[in-house]
């Protein structure tokens, strides 16, 4: 989104020229502007009975803050959640991720890890099949996550680039072939934010991150993610979905340099 990208460049410039303390000291609620930029100023409804967002109130490590999004629609509710957008208000690029849910996958929970740059509200906005947006939020105390040095050096990160691991929770044969399942996809990628400094050259490492992820059971879409700089190094997505009896699970990821990573596994296998 143009507004979000503009904020990224402005904040990056402020960091370079030492103006960040002034920005941080100015009382400001960015949410009204973000709601306009990201959601075209569409009306927001109370989402407390539609979606939940879970994050630690104070993060142990601002570069890998766990977040879980959970749908709360009652079994008798005929509406469906079409997509969920995660917004970290005070991050340089606030839209952390947008998750599109497969029409028949019944995804009910998504967990990942994000960078948090300042004490901030974090919003989760769900779009439902009734055409309306539903919002909930939480508050997280963390700082410096977007500029924190990478955990791996450049050579190690390069050697693991695009490696994917798939994990299915629960043993094969437990329960019916179709039913609720929990799975996890992990992608080896530095997911550089563009605000991290190379400790040797003292230059900023260019932004380089996974910006698209698609997951299928056989040929039926389970989940897609549009990602940004706020998703942590080595993206890790854990989710609950309903199996359609498929035999294979497939993943495709793309990054900002045009690399395409693809893997396929037997549905009950785990590994690299």
């Amino acid at each position: 989104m143009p507004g979000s990208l503009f904020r990224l460049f402005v904040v990056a410039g402020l960091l370079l020229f030492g103006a960040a303390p002034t920005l941080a000291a100015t009382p400001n609620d960015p949410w009204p502007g973000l709601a306009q930029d990201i959601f075209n100023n569409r009306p927001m409804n109370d989402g407390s009975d539609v979606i939940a967002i879970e994050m630690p109130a104070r993060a142990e490590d601002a570069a890998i803050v766990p977040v879980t999004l959970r749908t709360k629609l009652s079994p008798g509710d005929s509406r469906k959640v079409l997509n969920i957008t995660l917004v970290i208000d005070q991050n340089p690029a606030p839209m952390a991720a947008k998750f599109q849910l497969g029409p028949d996958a019944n995804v009910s929970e998504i967990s990942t890890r994000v960078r948090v740059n300042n004490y901030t509200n974090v919003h989760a906005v769900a779009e439902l099949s009734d055409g309306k947006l539903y919002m909930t939020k939480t508050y997280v105390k963390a700082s410096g996550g977007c500029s924190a040095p990478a955990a791996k050096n450049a050579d190690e990160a390069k050697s693991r680039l695009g490696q994917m691991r798939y994990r299915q929770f629960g043993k094969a044969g437990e329960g019916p072939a179709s039913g609720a399942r929990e799975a996890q996809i992990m992608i080896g990628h530095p997911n550089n934010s563009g605000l991290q400094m190379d400790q040797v050259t003292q230059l900023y490492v260019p932004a380089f991150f996974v910006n698209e992820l698609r997951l299928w059971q056989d040929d039926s879409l389970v989940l897609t993610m549009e990602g940004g700089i706020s998703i942590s190094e080595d993206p890790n997505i854990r989710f609950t979905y309903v199996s359609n009896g498929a035999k294979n699970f497939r993943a495709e990821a793309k990054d900002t340099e045009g690399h395409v990573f693809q893997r396929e596994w037997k549905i009950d296998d785990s590994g690299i």
Side-chain angles (χ1 to χ4, degrees):
M1 271 73 49
S4 298
L5 289 174
F6 175 76
R7 287 183 176 83
L8 170 60
F9 293 126
V10 168
V11 174
L14 290 169
L15 289 170
L16 286 170
F17 291 102
T22 302
L23 181 67
T26 304
N28 177 44
D29 179 8
W31 176 246
L34 295 175
Q36 180 174 349
D37 291 347
I38 299 173
F39 304 100
N40 296 317
N41 216 26
R42 292 170 61 187
M44 294 280 176
N45 299 280
D46 177 18
S48 58
D49 60 349
V50 172
I51 187 167
I53 179 171
E54 298 176 5
M55 298 179 75
R58 184 180 294 275
E60 294 183 10
D61 187 338
I64 48 171
V65 183
V67 55
T68 296
L69 305 169
R70 183 177 293 108
T71 63
K72 298 176 65 179
L73 294 178
S74 63
D77 198 320
S78 63
R79 298 173 299 172
K80 285 190 174 184
V81 178
L82 303 181
N83 58 69
I84 304 170
T85 303
L86 178 66
V87 181
I88 305 175
D89 294 16
Q90 295 288 352
N91 271 15
M95 198 188 88
K98 182 175 181 178
F99 299 96
Q100 192 86 24
L101 311 187
D104 302 314
N106 293 309
V107 173
S108 57
E109 187 172 310
I110 304 169
S111 298
T112 188
R113 304 176 303 187
V114 296
R115 299 178 170 117
V116 177
N117 212 49
N118 293 293
Y119 285 26
T120 185
N121 282 319
V122 180
H123 287 82
V125 179
E127 181 173 12
L128 266 58
S129 55
D130 61 5
K132 297 179 181 180
L133 299 179
Y134 297 84
M135 179 270 290
T136 190
K137 67 179 180 179
T138 190
Y139 188 78
V140 179
K141 296 180 179 180
S143 60
C146 292
S147 57
K152 300 175 179 65
N153 62 43
D155 289 338
E156 183 181 359
K158 185 177 180 180
S159 70
R160 300 178 67 254
L161 187 69
Q163 289 185 3
M164 290 189 190
R165 296 182 63 193
Y166 156 77
R167 185 180 178 189
Q168 185 83 227
F169 295 89
K171 296 179 181 179
E174 286 186 350
S178 60
R181 290 190 171 217
E182 189 173 8
Q184 184 179 40
I185 293 289
M186 295 156 278
I187 308 169
H189 203 286
N191 255 38
N192 297 326
S193 68
L195 300 176
Q196 298 155 303
M197 182 178 288
D198 187 303
Q199 301 303 305
V200 176
T201 66
Q202 296 297 294
L203 298 175
Y204 284 94
V205 178
F208 175 43
F209 54 90
V210 173
N211 58 355
E212 187 176 328
L213 173 66
R214 293 178 180 272
L215 307 173
W216 296 267
Q217 48 176 332
D218 282 346
D219 293 321
S220 179
L221 185 68
V222 174
L223 180 69
T224 73
M225 182 190 76
E226 176 189 344
I229 68 168
S230 297
I231 298 296
S232 298
E233 180 179 2
D234 295 333
N236 182 324
I237 311 295
R238 184 165 172 164
F239 53 96
T240 301
Y241 71 104
V242 172
S243 172
N244 63 1
K247 301 299 183 183
N248 298 293
F249 201 88
R250 182 161 51 98
E252 178 183 279
K254 300 179 181 179
D255 68 21
T256 51
E257 290 190 2
H259 301 113
V260 178
F261 313 108
Q262 298 174 318
R263 286 298 307 270
E264 185 169 332
W265 303 266
K266 294 296 183 183
I267 204 77
D268 290 315
D269 288 347
S270 292
I272 295 176

